[in-house]
Amino acid sequence: MKTSVRVALIGARGRMGQTIADLAKDDPKIDIVAQCDLGDAIDPAIKDCDVAIDFSNSSAIDEICRTALQHGKALVIGTTGHSPEQRQLIEETAGKLPIVFAPNFSVGVNALFALTRQVAEIFGSEFAPKITETHHKMKKDAPSGTAKTLREILKETQEVPIESIREGDVVGEHTVTFAGPDERLELTHRAGSREIFARGALRAAQWIVGKPARLYSMQDVLGITPAK
Ligand code: NAD
């Protein structure tokens, strides 16, 4: 009987890749069967897995989608910074494969998505929301994928500015500020370590295997109201 999910890890030498590999060592339900990074062919890694987890670079997405389609494998995509065309490709691929695509795999940030939607509905257009995100200096994309998702959620009420700060070794902080007449509400999430994303990605990998083809969010995995 099958006891563990066989995972191919793409971006394995990176900060997230290493954190996922470390966590998986102690998880009997996960078997990392292949690891690849820049310069390695993705095909041999993907063809013998149940699901591929991608925490690499947006430029890898063409090859990842093509290879996953060829072998009919599920995907968990954590990489951020994709262009509109690359996002379109992910959506098209999800017409044929089950894919979890999430800018943030932490339970706390997915709660922040749900709370932001709720607060925006309560306040309406009288309150001007603003997003602030802070990350370590090595982060390649700005604004963060999480900040863009928060902006999408708030778009229904108005256009929202994003302030991106790159400093030190900050793992990830996001604040949504609602400023209105004589009062102000701030919702903040602070990531303490990369393990929260790694745990979420491994949970998503176990959840997605065997699901029908569709683009799923982490909120689907967690069973909370999806952010639009
Ligand atoms: P990193 O720079 O430490 O690691 C990225 C790794 O991918 C590197 O080892 C690099 O060599 C490799 N790589 C680059 N191009 C590749 C390619 N074409 N094929 C295979 N491997 C390739 O970055 P990181 O901090 O680990 O983050 C990786 C990605 O995940 C970023 O896009 C980041 O924004 C995103 N991220 C998402 C979440 C989330 O919860 N969704 C959390 C943290 C980071």
Side-chain angles (χ1 to χ4, degrees), residues 9-19 36-40 42 54-61 63-64 77-82 101-106 109-110 135-136 138-141 144-146 171 194 196-198 200-201:
L9 192 52
I10 303 166
R13 284 200 295 273
R15 281 170 286 245
M16 279 305 302
Q18 287 180 34
T19 309
C36 64
D37 204 279
L38 194 60
D40 302 329
I42 289 175
D54 165 35
F55 279 87
S56 59
N57 185 276
S58 54
S59 61
I61 199 66
E63 191 179 349
I64 292 171
I77 303 174
T79 300
T80 60
H82 299 102
F101 182 32
N104 197 304
F105 280 91
S106 84
V109 158
N110 284 279
H135 283 86
H136 55 91
M138 306 297 283
K139 182 167 176 62
K140 295 197 172 69
D141 54 321
S144 68
T146 304
V171 174
R194 288 186 177 81
I196 56 172
F197 313 126

Side-chain angles (χ1 to χ4, degrees), residues 2 4-8 29-33 48-52:
K2 197 167 170 185
S4 58
V5 171
R6 294 157 53 78
V7 172
K29 296 189 291 308
I30 299 287
D31 191 6
I32 305 274
V33 292
D48 196 25
C49 72
D50 298 319
V51 52

Side-chain angles (χ1 to χ4, degrees), residues 76-93:
V76 170
I77 303 174
T79 300
T80 60
H82 299 102
S83 67
E85 294 73 23
Q86 289 169 327
R87 294 179 71 88
Q88 171 82 23
L89 172 68
I90 294 169
E91 280 173 29
E92 282 168 17
T93 308

